[in-house]
Amino acid sequence: MKPLQILWEGNFSGTLSLAQVNVELVRRLATVATISIVPRTTDGTRTAVGIPADLVAHVGRRLPHVDVHLTHGIPVIAQRPSAARWAWMQPWEYGAALPLDWLPALHDEADLVLGNSDHVRETFIAAGVPADRVTTARLGIDPILFDPAATVPRPLPSGKSFRFLYVGGLTHRKGIDLLLAAYRRAFTSNDDVTLVIKPVDPDGLYRDRLYPDFDEETERHGPEIVVLPTDLPKEDLPAIYAACNAFVHPYRGEGFCLPLAEAMAMGLLVICTDRGGASDFCRQDTAWLLPSDTVYFPHRRLDRRPVSNYPHWQEADLDALTRAMRRAVAGTTERQTTARRGQLLVREQFTWDRAASDLHAQLCALAAAPQREKHGAIMLPPHPLAERNAALLTDLGDTLLDAGDHEGAGRLFHRALRDLLPHLDAAGDRSLAAARALAGLARIAIAARIAENGYLFAQRAARYAPDDDKILALLAEMAARTGRTKEAEAVPPPVELMPMTSGYASPSSQV
């Protein structure tokens, strides 16, 4: 059988995980396939600068023909790049809400859509991508590089004996704000504990998404925080892991999360969110999982970019994170038992060798399959508009809450999200009635214990009606309930805050 001819287009240099994935997979696939690399930078230009020396010979390599053209990188390629069979691989962290300009590629053009975890695969299917063209291409670790038995711990500028570690972008999506808040709740400067932070790419793709209070947090009095240099080479990471005891990552959205897998391989206890891209290997028996709530964004947009549905991610419980960090410091045996299970799982089932072998089999099957007939149709996920009356929804919510049925109110919130908001968006309705409908939705959300959603929709209601006293009062209360103390103080309500049992009056008379 002739070797598979692969044209691989994407990022191969820099600190982004996409580049690391491309390098590790191509490095192994090149032993069984013929690969030509089309390198791209995050600004879309093509350059071989920064590509590992052992892959330079593959850049621009001439192929007799192309069996599969695989794309994986930023910026995302959303148009068919060649006549070859197209394998499209991309992480995604915001639920079944794909950028609209991706849809033609995913719904009809791409011959194979690869998610880096079962979570991402299921997300693409939920977004309407045909299930028979979506599969999982898991990632992995290098068990030789990440071998605790062969690693000397890196000396750290700390005299504390217990060390938590975070490696990743200092962004809201990654949950750095939750980590800092829980750490400062759990410990003081007198505790024998430190938090080691290794930032990733603060001057690159993440530069506009940095957690704004990070510098301020590190300067305050409190438990010790050690921030490592951002330019440490990847080869230094095992020594950093080896110097720490537990890895904490209360992410809101992840496609896979390589640092979590690397920490597990090095024998660290992992504390992370209970759902998302890391769930393939972060399980009940291999990690300490933090209960989380699904938080929907109030618009069908991401960074002003229209998407096909309402984006969402997971909000880890702050109290549970605080307790888990204290528990990690207090209990050695329990921590080590869980860490050992995670280490065995990752080192056996989530390696780059296995990931490359599985991907090679998928690409061979794609190349051997008959050419797929394309229909050119873009199938947007359904947005039912049967329930357009906000009054009925919020009145029903009041009834459920009065009866103490918080679970029922939560289900009603999701129904309203599905049925009411698309109607408001489609109509472009920014009236006072629409604002009051959103306020009613916010009140139901927070009373149903979906606090972050309550805040987001109260915030949107206030943008629609910035002079409405009751909506401003509601926004101030929602901000306070979700820990946004400064924001709550900055919105001084002209009327007394109302208890949630009476709350904001149902908008039945206005809508």
Side-chain angles (χ1 to χ4, degrees):
M1 181 178 177
K2 294 182 179 180
L4 196 65
Q5 309 287 303
I6 304 173
L7 188 65
W8 194 299
E9 186 169 1
N11 310 118
F12 281 84
S13 59
T15 59
L16 284 180
S17 60
L18 284 84
Q20 180 185 349
V21 169
N22 288 335
V23 167
E24 298 290 356
L25 289 176
V26 168
R27 187 172 275 158
R28 289 159 177 81
L29 283 171
T31 64
V32 293
T34 305
I35 299 181
S36 177
I37 293 174
V38 180
R40 286 185 175 271
T41 62
T42 54
D43 62 5
T45 59
R46 297 186 180 186
T47 177
V49 175
I51 293 180
D54 62 320
L55 296 184
V56 170
H58 297 282
V59 175
R61 185 175 185 175
R62 298 190 65 176
L63 302 177
H65 66 276
V66 177
D67 293 314
V68 176
H69 189 149
L70 188 147
T71 59
H72 178 230
I74 294 177
V76 175
I77 295 175
Q79 293 182 336
R80 191 175 190 88
S82 69
R85 287 172 174 78
W86 181 18
W88 186 95
M89 183 163 63
Q90 205 66 33
W92 187 244
E93 303 94 0
Y94 300 97
L98 303 179
L100 293 183
D101 59 335
W102 290 10
L103 295 184
L106 296 185
H107 283 279
D108 198 60
E109 287 294 328
D111 299 294
L112 183 64
V113 175
L114 299 161
N116 294 141
S117 62
D118 287 343
H119 169 76
V120 176
R121 176 179 59 81
E122 291 163 5
T123 291
F124 288 151
I125 294 172
V129 181
D132 62 346
R133 287 192 283 116
V134 186
T135 188
T136 301
R138 289 189 178 88
L139 308 182
I141 57 96
D142 182 344
I144 297 176
L145 177 62
F146 293 97
D147 181 1
T151 303
V152 178
R154 178 189 177 93
L156 297 175
S158 172
K160 307 287 187 176
S161 61
F162 193 96
R163 296 160 177 186
F164 290 103
L165 176 64
Y166 171 82
V167 176
L170 307 182
T171 69
H172 189 71
R173 176 174 68 81
K174 298 282 189 176
I176 184 65
D177 55 317
L178 294 175
L179 172 56
L180 290 170
Y183 179 61
R184 294 186 181 281
R185 278 188 182 189
F187 307 107
T188 70
S189 58
N190 295 323
D191 289 305
D192 187 21
V193 61
T194 190
L195 172 61
V196 180
I197 296 176
K198 168 61 177 70
V200 172
D201 199 41
D203 300 318
L205 189 67
Y206 292 142
R207 65 183 178 276
D208 296 327
R209 297 173 175 82
L210 296 185
Y211 174 52
D213 294 332
F214 179 73
D215 290 335
E216 180 182 353
E217 289 280 358
T218 59
E219 292 169 1
R220 292 177 183 170
H221 297 293
E224 182 181 83
I225 296 176
V226 173
V227 182
L228 298 177
T230 61
D231 58 352
L232 292 176
K234 181 172 179 56
E235 290 71 23
D236 286 4
L237 277 178
I240 296 172
Y241 289 122
C244 298
N245 307 92
F247 190 97
V248 191
H249 190 37
Y251 62 81
R252 293 180 171 92
E254 283 288 0
F256 181 86
C257 196
L258 289 171
L260 277 173
E262 293 165 354
M264 271 193 176
M266 290 295 295
L268 273 68
L269 168 70
V270 160
I271 303 172
C272 68
T273 310
D274 63 350
R275 285 173 284 178
S279 295
D280 287 353
F281 56 95
C282 293
R283 308 169 184 173
Q284 288 287 351
D285 62 332
T286 62
W288 289 2
L289 301 181
L290 305 169
S292 65
D293 289 324
T294 301
V295 174
Y296 285 88
F297 294 22
H299 296 283
R300 289 205 300 268
R301 292 195 304 273
L302 283 171
D303 293 335
R304 302 182 181 178
R305 188 178 189 182
V307 293
S308 60
N309 210 325
Y310 287 92
H312 71 265
W313 54 27
Q314 300 305 126
E315 186 82 10
D317 184 87
L318 184 60
D319 291 335
L321 175 57
T322 304
R323 291 192 298 269
M325 294 181 78
R326 287 177 180 151
R327 181 175 149 211
V329 174
T332 303
T333 302
E334 183 186 13
R335 184 183 76 239
Q336 291 177 343
T337 299
T338 303
R340 180 59 179 164
R341 291 197 198 104
Q343 184 181 41
L344 291 173
L345 174 69
V346 168
R347 296 183 72 83
E348 289 177 1
Q349 300 184 28
F350 291 86
T351 66
W352 286 119
D353 286 347
R354 180 162 180 169
S357 177
D358 291 347
L359 179 58
H360 182 251
Q362 291 173 325
L363 298 182
C364 286
L366 174 62
Q371 282 284 2
R372 187 176 53 83
E373 186 176 337
K374 301 179 179 61
H375 303 288
I378 302 175
M379 299 173 60
L380 292 175
H383 296 290
L385 301 180
E387 286 288 349
R388 296 187 175 186
N389 194 324
L392 292 178
L393 291 171
T394 49
D395 283 344
L396 179 56
D398 287 338
T399 302
L400 291 170
L401 293 174
D402 289 343
D405 186 358
H406 294 283
E407 183 178 347
R411 288 196 300 269
L412 180 74
F413 171 83
H414 292 286
R415 181 181 174 185
L417 180 74
R418 182 196 72 189
D419 296 334
L420 170 61
L421 264 67
H423 170 63
L424 294 178
D425 285 351
D429 189 353
R430 289 178 172 257
S431 64
L432 179 59
R436 289 176 174 170
L438 290 165
L441 190 60
R443 186 174 56 79
I444 291 172
I446 198 166
R449 302 190 179 98
I450 317 174
E452 189 70 14
N453 280 302
Y455 165 76
L456 289 172
F457 287 94
Q459 188 182 52
R460 180 172 174 182
R463 286 200 295 269
Y464 285 14
D467 298 322
D468 186 281
D469 289 351
K470 291 181 179 179
I471 289 177
L472 290 176
L474 181 69
L475 175 59
E477 180 173 4
M478 298 295 182
R481 283 174 179 260
T482 55
R484 296 172 168 87
T485 307
K486 291 182 179 179
E487 184 172 340
E489 294 172 351
V491 187
V495 297
E496 184 179 354
L497 292 183
M498 298 162 286
M500 293 306 299
T501 50
S502 59
Y504 185 84
S506 169
S508 56
S509 60
Q510 290 90 14
V511 180

